[in-house]
Amino acid sequence: MHGIFEKIAGYYDRMNFVMTLGRHEKWCREVAERVAPPANGQVLDLATGTGAIALKAAGMYPAVTVTGADFSEEMLRRAETKPGADSVCWLQADATRLPFEDESFDGITEGYLLRNVEDLDQSLREQHRVLKPGGRIVILETCPPSGLVKPVVTLGVRVLVPLLGQVVARDRSSYTYLESSTLAFQSPQHVAGVLKGLGFQDIGWRKKFFGTNVILWATKPR
């Protein structure tokens, strides 16, 4: 898993743009808006990748300290070269064993983390631990297709994602994995159930792009 993300770091942004027809940046902005940290607060962006969400948050909330964490050194190296990167604290970290004290952050954001961890429940448990009471978690994830469009969307994902990987990145194998992880990932209802079991409240979500992506949010009670 780690090797795949080291490998795709150089064309990660380009592929996100192409696969979402340019919508990815807007979704990252929405995630940053929804976390809504207090002035002088602390925000943690997990699976920060090349820093799309972290940089949006840092730009929106200049008085807030933003930490971008990822397990891929190469992703972080790319993030550190972007405009505005000096406004974010970049850190290599394992999302299932976060190196932070309890209740360290006023908000947590993440993009495409949960489908790539071996233990989804443990990752969310760690996020609950380091989040302050009253803090919000906002999650951008892929979403398995459902309803009447499921056959069409499933076929599209299976065919187009590896094909785009071949054409845009010349890396079909890595994006074949990403295609399979998209279709096999849990539903928003399942993720919401885990969040509720951990004690989160005010849980909601909004599907995007023919139901293939979703933004979920929840609040840790005070």
Side-chain angles (χ1 to χ4, degrees), residues 30-157:
E30 181 177 340
V31 170
E33 288 173 347
R34 285 186 177 277
V35 76
N40 301 311
Q42 299 267 349
V43 168
L44 172 63
D45 181 46
L46 287 172
T48 195
T50 55
I53 296 173
L55 291 168
K56 290 289 185 190
M60 286 182 189
Y61 313 111
V64 168
T65 300
V66 178
T67 299
D70 201 282
F71 76 154
S72 167
E73 302 96 322
E74 185 62 20
M75 286 284 191
L76 290 170
R77 190 183 72 79
R78 299 273 177 173
E80 290 170 346
T81 67
K82 289 187 171 182
D86 290 346
S87 61
V88 177
C89 303
W90 306 105
L91 177 72
Q92 187 179 7
D94 181 345
T96 61
R97 295 191 300 272
L98 294 174
F100 306 112
E101 299 293 330
D102 295 356
E103 300 181 1
S104 296
F105 295 95
D106 300 279
I108 297 174
T109 58
E110 61 190 73
Y112 308 120
L113 166 69
L114 298 179
R115 69 174 183 171
N116 292 308
V117 295
E118 293 184 2
D119 192 336
L120 179 151
D121 293 38
Q122 173 61 19
S123 177
L124 290 174
R125 191 176 298 115
E126 275 289 272
Q127 292 175 55
H128 184 275
R129 178 183 67 81
V130 303
L131 188 63
K132 294 179 182 179
R136 176 175 280 193
I137 177 175
V138 187
I139 301 166
L140 172 61
E141 259 301 346
T142 54
C143 182
S146 60
L148 296 176
V149 301
K150 180 177 180 178
V152 175
V153 173
T154 298
L155 179 62
V157 171

Side-chain angles (χ1 to χ4, degrees), residues 150-172:
K150 180 177 180 178
V152 175
V153 173
T154 298
L155 179 62
V157 171
R158 283 179 173 162
V159 173
L160 287 177
V161 172
L163 179 61
L164 287 171
Q166 177 64 40
V167 173
V168 176
R170 293 184 172 84
D171 183 3
R172 188 181 188 91

